[in-house]
Amino acid sequence: MEKLAPNDRVVAVNIDLSWPVHPGSNYQPQLISFPDGPLRRDRIYHVHRVVSHSDGSQAIFITGTRVFLGDDEIPWDGSRFRKVDCLKGHVPLKKKFTAKTPRRK
């Protein structure tokens, strides 16, 4: 997994918020809240702060999208995100041709 750092630009690749990636022993679903709304796949986020776990995984705080466990703000799991630069090599989706788009010959 790639290492994230403050000020990195990232996109969410796992937006399923129905269950945490690492729930922990004190996980109680009724205490989780997303005051700024859910993660969106089509949005670029900025990493504010990175927290390293003892197992080597990362958790991040992102600007403008918080998650709370009760009254405490907690970080997002870093595995939910990928750096924007890492998407450069991906093949884009095929472009749909319409009547306004000329076809190549």
Side-chain angles (χ1 to χ4, degrees):
M1 181 168 158
E2 63 194 357
K3 293 292 180 186
L4 301 174
N7 297 320
D8 278 347
R9 293 168 27 130
V10 295
V11 292
V13 293
N14 178 353
I15 60 172
D16 179 12
L17 302 178
S18 63
W19 192 257
V21 176
H22 301 286
S25 59
N26 62 346
Y27 173 68
Q28 297 174 11
Q30 66 274 17
L31 296 179
I32 298 290
S33 64
F34 306 98
D36 304 314
L39 291 175
R40 294 191 342 219
R41 191 176 302 276
D42 59 346
R43 181 171 177 198
I44 295 176
Y45 297 98
H46 295 269
V47 177
H48 174 68
R49 190 172 55 148
V50 177
V51 179
S52 296
H53 293 293
S54 59
D55 65 357
S57 65
Q58 290 184 308
I60 61 173
F61 290 92
I62 54 178
T63 304
T65 305
R66 299 168 297 165
V67 59
F68 283 87
L69 175 61
D71 293 331
D72 299 323
E73 184 177 3
I74 59 173
W76 294 94
D77 192 277
S79 67
R80 289 187 183 274
F81 301 90
R82 293 290 177 268
K83 288 183 184 181
V84 172
D85 295 344
C86 292
L87 301 176
K88 285 183 180 176
H90 289 230
V91 178
L93 297 174
K94 278 190 168 182
K95 183 177 179 179
K96 290 184 178 180
F97 287 98
T98 63
K100 295 179 184 177
T101 306
R103 289 185 177 259
R104 289 186 182 181
K105 294 183 180 186

